[in-house]
Amino acid sequence: MMPFFSIIIPLYNKEHYVKNTIKSVLSQSFNDFEIIVVNDGSTDNSLEVIKTFKDQRISVFTTKNQGVSSARNYGIKKALANYIAFIDADDHWYGNHLENIAALINDFPNCGLYAMAYEKRYGDKVYKSKYSNIPPNKPWRKILTNYFSHNLNNAIAWTSACAVPKKILIELNGFDESITLGAGEDTDLWIRIALKYPIAFNNQVTAAHNLHAENRISNSNTSLRHFINIDKYEPFIENHQSLKAYLDLNRLSIGMQYRLNNQEEKALSFLRKIDINSLNRKQRFLLNRKGNTLKFLKRIQNLLMKFGIKLTPFH
């Protein structure tokens, strides 16, 4: 029989984490699913770890290393279900994650994206995500009438905490494989979905994003990365409230990454297009800081995180 969810796990060198990730999936209270693991050319023992699981719902496919977007798109093609849920091979679902997404689908059947709230883990410290214009301390599950306005603190849609109808992923050609890991490959897809379809969101935390050292993208790799093409969404600003501010925050993020890597010309190609009215006071301060100052501030931010203090320019 066709499962309700196809769960896609792109896998590349996560031998120390993928076992716990799959355990969290198999422990779901809602268990009508298949698991599609796409081994993206791992060179460690990740594949051997996967083989220790004997659950018949798990299928494993091995491809040459082409990146996370290619792995996810491969999994989408293999999926049997009408709804695709994603989880990266080092993240975690709490036991009620799929149950809550299934409830969102039942209550709001015509949406293009179903998202749950998530938290971030750094070592033994846990940070709950804060969302713009959504109450943090009481249950809240609705269709977002202005998706982009809710993304100005943390992203509503995070890949390991959402599900998308397969027909919409096929219609929109899935993830853009020209965008490299951590350069906006997921953001690009969520924008394309939000421009055409409503988004349903539940502010209950059902997933955790692990920010361990191996999972963090180094700024030293910036010159090798191909970022999202933000400019292509400018024509949609007039008909979508808060899209301009959302695009400018992404420009700020990318520009800061280039500046941290001493690539000032590329940084300015993003930062010069920002409307200062899109930014809060902290973001305006960062906009005019040079690379050495940003590196100093980044070191302070990383040090404070070790003590459970999370500083961010986004709220």
Side-chain angles (χ1 to χ4, degrees):
M1 293 180 63
M2 178 188 297
F4 190 89
F5 287 110
S6 292
I7 301 164
I8 295 175
I9 305 177
L11 176 64
Y12 179 71
N13 290 359
K14 299 294 183 183
E15 63 175 310
H16 300 300
Y17 306 99
V18 67
K19 184 175 183 178
N20 286 334
T21 296
I22 290 183
K23 282 183 175 180
S24 77
V25 175
L26 295 176
S27 298
Q28 292 297 299
S29 57
F30 186 99
N31 56 24
D32 186 8
F33 58 77
E34 65 169 346
I35 299 174
I36 298 173
V37 178
V38 182
N39 176 38
D40 187 32
S42 293
T43 58
D44 65 357
N45 292 317
S46 294
L47 193 56
E48 285 68 25
V49 174
I50 296 294
K51 291 178 180 178
T52 64
F53 291 94
K54 305 304 179 184
D55 196 299
Q56 294 184 348
R57 292 172 294 180
I58 301 175
S59 299
V60 181
F61 301 91
T62 295
T63 64
K64 66 178 182 180
N65 180 247
Q66 298 183 81
V68 66
S69 292
S70 176
R72 288 174 181 151
N73 287 341
Y74 186 92
I76 291 167
K77 292 176 184 177
K78 296 294 184 181
L80 298 177
N82 289 326
Y83 294 96
I84 310 294
F86 301 96
I87 182 170
D88 287 346
D90 50 4
D91 290 325
H92 180 86
W93 284 350
Y94 297 113
N96 60 349
H97 177 69
L98 288 180
E99 178 183 347
N100 275 279
I101 290 187
L104 277 178
I105 292 170
N106 182 68
D107 292 345
F108 309 112
N110 297 315
C111 289
L113 175 70
Y114 300 90
M116 296 296 302
Y118 55 93
E119 61 191 18
K120 300 176 183 179
R121 295 177 181 172
Y122 184 82
D124 60 352
K125 306 294 191 256
V126 177
Y127 306 93
K128 288 189 176 180
S129 295
K130 299 178 182 179
Y131 305 100
S132 306
N133 306 315
I134 293 177
N137 298 318
K138 64 178 182 179
W140 196 95
R141 50 196 307 276
K142 295 181 180 179
I143 291 180
L144 305 179
T145 56
N146 179 8
Y147 170 78
F148 300 105
S149 71
H150 297 290
N151 282 270
L152 304 183
N153 289 345
N154 282 286
I156 286 287
W158 168 54
T159 314
S160 290
C162 65
V164 183
K166 181 179 179 180
K167 65 180 181 180
I168 290 176
L169 290 168
I170 293 173
E171 173 196 338
L172 298 180
N173 297 314
F175 293 88
D176 185 341
E177 296 180 18
S178 71
I179 304 173
T180 51
L181 173 64
E185 76 284 350
D186 46 2
T187 298
D188 174 75
L189 178 58
W190 311 148
I191 293 174
R192 285 186 279 132
I193 292 175
L195 290 175
K196 296 191 66 174
Y197 296 97
I199 308 296
F201 180 68
N202 185 337
N203 72 340
Q204 181 177 354
V205 173
T206 61
H209 183 22
N210 289 313
L211 299 171
H212 51 78
E214 295 175 32
N215 195 37
R216 302 178 73 189
I217 304 297
S218 170
N219 287 309
S220 64
N221 296 328
T222 303
S223 60
L224 303 177
R225 295 160 68 194
H226 186 272
F227 284 93
I228 177 177
N229 179 6
I230 295 175
D231 294 344
K232 71 179 181 181
Y233 295 114
E234 286 286 330
F236 299 96
I237 287 174
E238 183 176 353
N239 295 322
H240 292 272
Q241 185 181 357
S242 299
L243 177 57
K244 172 60 176 174
Y246 180 65
L247 296 179
D248 281 348
L249 289 183
N250 279 277
R251 287 189 173 102
L252 178 67
S253 177
I254 296 171
M256 293 297 99
Q257 292 179 64
Y258 275 126
R259 189 164 274 176
L260 281 165
N261 199 35
N262 299 318
Q263 295 179 277
E264 185 63 14
E265 184 176 344
K266 287 187 176 181
L268 290 176
S269 70
F270 286 89
L271 300 178
R272 284 173 175 160
K273 297 174 183 177
I274 293 176
D275 180 348
I276 197 169
N277 294 313
S278 298
L279 308 180
N280 63 30
R281 187 170 59 181
K282 287 188 286 186
Q283 292 158 358
R284 293 177 186 180
F285 172 80
L286 290 175
L287 183 64
N288 296 312
R289 302 284 77 80
K290 298 302 180 183
N292 288 336
T293 302
L294 290 175
K295 290 176 184 177
F296 174 72
L297 293 173
K298 188 68 176 178
R299 286 195 294 270
I300 292 176
Q301 182 189 46
N302 291 337
L303 178 63
L304 290 175
M305 284 188 69
K306 294 180 180 179
F307 293 95
I309 303 171
K310 186 172 185 290
L311 295 181
T312 170
F314 294 97
H315 51 76

